[in-house]
Amino acid sequence: MADSNRFKLAGVMGMPIFQSRSPIIHNHWIAVHGIKAAYGHFPVQIHQVEAAVRGLAALGLAGCNITLPHKVKAMPLMDHLTPMAQRVGAINCIVVQDDGSLHGHNNDGYGYVQSIKDDKPDWRADAGPITLLGAGGAARAVIIALIDAGALEIRLLNRSRDKAEQLAALNPQVVKVHDWSERHAALAGAAMVINTTNQGMYDQPPLDLMLDELPRTALVSDLIYVPLETPLIKAAKARGHLAVNGLGMLLNQAVPAFEAWFGVKPVIDAALRQKILATF
Ligand code: NAP
């Protein structure tokens, strides 16, 4: 396993999966660093997740990313979970150890915060209230990362209020649940608004959110990157806000995964951004 001449393999496991841009990201870095490796798509049905994950070590893979709908189901198959993966309750990355054991990571929150810092280097989580819409898997990772980064107030709103209440239990001092019907008013005085719902994705209607109450200085963030400019991002730019889409989160979550598999910390360079942008 530790043979440095070994050709390394990794990939992204999910269903559907061929829309994933992760192979472009990792194969770019593999080429940049001249590593003998390749990264591919692994289409795996729900009922085959266990067989596929257990096969990673048997086949000598370096590891893989795990995406929808397997992020939770793959968790109990791990021999070890990072503290972050345990807190999020889902994994997005598996690293096969030299002894064949499987370590589960969740790098989504890291990727999110890093993407915001890329676009706003002086960003601080404690700059003011953060209004966050949605309470799914991505919201959980983002909220944990925001709490760790020092957020003082997160106004959490979700169509199904019960899911928001569950997430608020992460830190009730910081995460305050508001009713979905209050989402427009919940922008008043906010330093940042984050869309973690699927509303605004290419196959979904726009997020129903009026920005009138949002201070012009607020940062607007949408986790969606297909399309790159959601109606929310367009409306925010039209009002003069700094608006950050979800592409940076995708790129940044890949950095620690690549480093764990291949031993080099990669850089998100202009050539990589161009390659990704060319796919839209
Ligand atoms: P998820 O667990 O399925 O959560 C979906 C969320 O959208 C829930 O809060 C859901 O509310 C809400 N929602 C669905 N339909 C709605 C509607 N008609 N009106 C209002 N809210 C609605 O999905 P996820 O994994 O968290 O992903 C959420 C988004 O983040 C997706 O767009 C995904 O592409 C994006 N994402 C991006 C990255 C990245 O790297 N940039 C990574 C992960 C996810 P209910 O609870 O009421 O159903």
Side-chain angles (χ1 to χ4, degrees):
M1 279 272 184
D3 179 0
S4 60
N5 282 322
R6 180 167 66 96
F7 189 92
K8 290 191 168 183
L9 280 172
V12 56
M13 191 183 291
M15 183 62 75
I17 198 58
F18 289 105
Q19 81 290 353
S20 169
R21 283 147 173 101
S22 289
I24 298 172
I25 300 171
H26 290 283
N27 287 320
H28 173 80
W29 288 332
I30 285 167
V32 165
H33 293 285
I35 296 168
K36 287 186 282 183
Y39 183 107
H41 289 111
F42 300 149
V44 173
Q45 303 278 4
I46 278 269
H47 69 280
Q48 288 175 322
V49 171
E50 181 165 354
V53 167
R54 297 216 185 280
L56 292 172
L59 288 165
L61 269 76
C64 72
N65 284 122
I66 297 281
T67 188
L68 298 176
H70 306 327
K71 285 182 160 190
V72 175
K73 188 155 186 198
M75 244 182 97
L77 306 171
M78 298 299 104
D79 299 297
H80 170 83
L81 290 166
T82 63
M84 181 56 80
Q86 288 180 32
R87 288 165 76 200
V88 176
I91 58 172
N92 81 332
C93 173
I94 299 174
V95 181
V96 181
Q97 306 298 301
D98 285 344
D99 65 0
S101 62
L102 303 177
H103 286 199
H105 300 244
N106 192 309
N107 301 322
D108 281 338
Y110 163 83
Y112 179 73
V113 164
Q114 206 52 47
S115 77
I116 298 297
K117 288 181 180 168
D118 283 351
D119 280 22
K120 187 171 166 52
D122 64 346
W123 174 81
R124 291 182 60 101
D126 61 0
I130 298 170
T131 302
L132 191 145
L133 304 163
R140 190 175 176 89
V142 168
I143 289 172
I144 290 172
L146 292 172
I147 292 170
D148 288 356
L152 300 174
E153 180 189 349
I154 299 173
R155 302 169 182 167
L156 179 59
L157 305 95
N158 191 48
R159 180 181 60 171
S160 315
R161 189 179 170 116
D162 57 325
K163 287 196 204 158
E165 305 278 8
Q166 285 167 26
L167 282 193
L170 284 166
N171 187 334
Q173 302 294 323
V174 173
V175 185
K176 305 288 181 194
V177 176
H178 299 250
D179 206 74
W180 182 246
S181 61
E182 295 163 11
R183 61 194 178 281
H184 315 294
L187 300 179
M192 183 175 188
V193 55
I194 309 171
N195 176 36
T196 77
T197 77
N198 62 1
Q199 300 294 280
M201 269 184 87
Y202 67 95
D203 58 350
Q204 295 290 325
L207 177 69
D208 178 8
L209 184 67
M210 288 182 290
L211 299 180
D212 307 68
E213 297 289 328
L214 189 66
R216 301 269 174 181
T217 50
L219 191 159
V220 177
S221 151
D222 198 329
L223 264 59
I224 294 169
Y225 57 90
V226 186
L228 285 172
E229 283 219 332
T230 59
L232 172 64
I233 293 280
K234 273 192 189 136
K237 285 185 176 170
R239 292 184 93 235
H241 295 276
L242 175 61
V244 182
N245 66 26
L247 189 57
M249 176 176 175
L250 177 76
L251 290 166
N252 277 287
Q253 62 77 33
V255 170
F258 188 90
E259 186 174 13
W261 298 324
F262 304 120
V264 186
K265 185 171 184 185
V267 171
I268 301 166
D269 57 16
L272 174 56
R273 285 189 191 273
Q274 271 169 16
K275 270 186 199 172
I276 294 282
L277 289 174
T279 67
F280 287 93

